Amino acid sequence: MRELIDKLEETKTLSRNEFKKLLFCGNDYLFKRARSVADAVYGKNIFMRGLIEFTNHCKNDCLYCGIRAGNKKAARYRLSKDEILDCCKKGYALGFRTFVLQGGEDLYYTDDVLTDIISDIRTAYKDCAITLSIGERSAESYAKLRKAGADRYLLRHETANETHYRSLHPKNMSPANRKQCLYELKKSGYQVGCGFMVGSPGQTPDHIVDDLLFIKELQPHMAGIGPFIPHSDTPLGGSWAGGLRLTLNLLSILRLMQPNLLIPATTALGTIDPQGREHGILAGANVVMPNLSPISVRDKYLLYDNKICTGDEAAECVNCMRTRIKSIGYELTVSRGDCIF
Ligand code: SAH
């Protein structure tokens, strides 16, 4: 196994069969090499992003997601511009220099509505990065929002394999369109993040290698991966959650494939294991995304069951995160945390 890990570090890629072997690697040498590569690029810094979950309305019906249109039990909400700006204000005082506006695909937020919100954040916080994570839109829309002041865009590709993608999404969604959106976003000058769920129903080792090869081709600035976790009010509510070890191995593999990649230790990882995010950082992740959404809506943005931190104030989340990160020898940094090229 060591030779394979060294080979990946050196050549940044492997054959399909070699990748598959590494997925099930039980040797902590993988984490050690990945962490040392992350240290060489980003030092002991862990970047934080303030997540503002501003709407849970969604027109899509992805089979795994708790806020899918078909979930009639979800209590829906939208934040106003003032509420969003208030989240940014609190976040700035806590040291956040990146705000992530995430939501379902909510038709209420037209380009005009979003442009108004983004340009106000841009004017008020010139030293901050604005990240959007609001799904598939037209190339024109991406360009407009970029012009209004958005810097980055997170759009997980979910799974690079066509058949697997179709099994997790309704007929009107296509993997080709999702990938096309990522290329459009890059073209519009965004720092782009793709990513996928680990252990989603029907996922095979070959599908995961497809994901790795897609990431290799796209060369994103960020890649978000976290375990799939079932939500009881969705068609996939009876499925198993993705595993910790496989997720950590993948964080390490991504770090070795692309040393400068921004890789979050996700909330989903912290949900399947109380120390999941610490393990994630020690396996090569270098970003955390504490929640800045108002307490009143926290327990409504439920993509999966048992999500952590739904009752904590933003300040509590940041302090908790700072302590956790310190305890493993790292530092939560006040910085935009751009990708180093
Ligand atoms: N509407 C936006 C944001 C989606 S939510 C978009 O389309 O990009 C952010 C991510 O949460 C999704 O991309 C998906 O990978 C993840 N997610 C959704 N349901 C999940 C589940 N049940 N378990 C784990 N992750 C999930």
Side-chain angles (χ1 to χ4, degrees):
M1 232 12 128
R2 280 193 176 222
E3 293 96 79
L4 219 51
I5 296 164
D6 291 339
K7 183 177 172 190
L8 178 59
E9 181 175 352
E10 210 177 290
T11 65
K12 314 274 184 286
T13 193
L14 292 173
S15 72
R16 182 168 281 271
N17 275 334
E18 288 171 332
F19 268 132
K20 283 205 265 188
K21 273 190 202 148
L22 261 199
L23 295 183
F24 303 103
C25 167
N27 187 335
D28 290 355
Y29 180 68
L30 177 61
F31 303 152
K32 290 207 183 79
R33 289 315 312 150
R35 193 56 249 174
S36 106
V37 165
D39 285 357
V41 183
Y42 291 104
K44 295 287 176 187
N45 301 311
I46 303 298
F47 303 128
M48 59 172 176
R49 322 295 198 200
L51 186 63
I52 304 172
E53 300 156 333
F54 70 101
T55 172
N56 72 350
H57 288 262
C58 192
K59 69 175 169 65
N60 288 337
D61 220 8
C62 309
L63 273 72
Y64 44 84
C65 184
I67 64 167
R68 66 201 300 266
N71 181 10
K72 302 298 175 213
K73 290 194 189 160
R76 307 285 171 172
Y77 73 90
R78 285 187 184 110
L79 298 184
S80 67
K81 181 170 80 171
D82 285 348
E83 286 172 312
I84 294 172
L85 284 166
D86 198 48
C87 293
C88 296
K89 189 173 174 190
K90 287 203 178 98
Y92 193 89
L94 290 169
F96 287 94
R97 295 297 178 267
T98 295
F99 303 117
V100 182
L101 301 186
Q102 187 178 88
E105 291 199 17
D106 181 351
L107 297 172
Y108 170 84
Y109 293 95
T110 58
D111 289 346
D112 286 347
V113 171
L114 284 169
T115 299
D116 180 46
I117 296 170
I118 293 165
S119 46
D120 277 13
I121 301 176
R122 176 47 61 236
T123 308
Y125 302 99
K126 295 203 166 48
D127 55 338
C128 293
I130 303 173
T131 306
L132 301 177
S133 177
I134 49 177
E136 297 171 38
R137 302 177 77 92
S138 67
E140 296 76 56
S141 171
Y142 288 147
K144 271 191 200 163
L145 304 180
R146 172 88 185 100
K147 208 165 156 223
D151 311 286
R152 306 182 185 143
Y153 206 105
L154 304 179
L155 184 77
R156 289 187 176 182
H157 62 281
E158 311 299 0
T159 167
N161 180 278
E162 163 112 25
T163 314
H164 187 223
Y165 186 96
R166 296 214 177 266
S167 76
L168 296 173
H169 297 92
K171 281 204 177 64
N172 65 338
M173 293 180 74
S174 91
N177 190 57
R178 202 149 179 100
K179 288 179 185 167
Q180 184 58 31
C181 284
L182 283 162
Y183 287 106
E184 294 292 353
L185 285 161
K186 258 198 146 177
K187 235 193 277 168
S188 296
Y190 286 89
Q191 295 174 38
V192 171
C194 65
F196 60 96
M197 289 179 291
V198 179
S200 57
Q203 186 181 54
T204 66
D206 270 304
H207 295 157
I208 297 179
V209 178
D210 291 343
D211 289 318
L212 296 175
L213 297 176
F214 172 68
I215 292 172
K216 182 103 214 140
E217 178 194 300
L218 178 69
Q219 290 283 308
H221 304 79
M222 304 165 268
I225 61 168
F228 159 78
I229 304 174
H231 185 296
S232 45
D233 299 321
T234 63
L236 300 177
S239 309
W240 298 103
L244 176 68
R245 178 79 209 201
L246 179 56
T247 308
L248 296 177
N249 282 359
L250 279 162
L251 294 175
S252 292
I253 291 171
L254 286 176
R255 174 62 63 207
L256 293 174
M257 281 172 63
Q258 202 184 315
N260 67 343
L261 198 60
L262 293 161
I263 307 177
T266 61
T267 306
L269 190 55
T271 298
I272 60 160
D273 185 293
Q275 304 285 308
R277 287 165 300 177
E278 290 90 324
H279 290 309
I281 290 167
L282 292 172
N286 65 332
V287 171
V288 290
M289 300 174 71
N291 206 313
L292 277 182
S293 312
I295 283 279
S296 57
V297 304
R298 280 292 181 87
D299 58 350
K300 298 192 178 74
Y301 196 82
L302 297 180
L303 309 179
Y304 47 81
D305 289 338
N306 306 316
K307 185 180 172 196
I308 52 169
C309 311
T310 53
D312 303 336
E313 286 289 352
E316 290 175 70
C317 281
V318 175
N319 288 332
C320 163
M321 196 65 88
R322 186 171 291 115
T323 312
R324 284 169 180 267
I325 288 172
K326 266 220 169 92
S327 78
I328 52 169
Y330 287 80
E331 201 65 50
L332 199 56
T333 313
V334 176
S335 150
R336 275 174 53 112
D338 286 298
C339 185
I340 296 177
F341 263 104

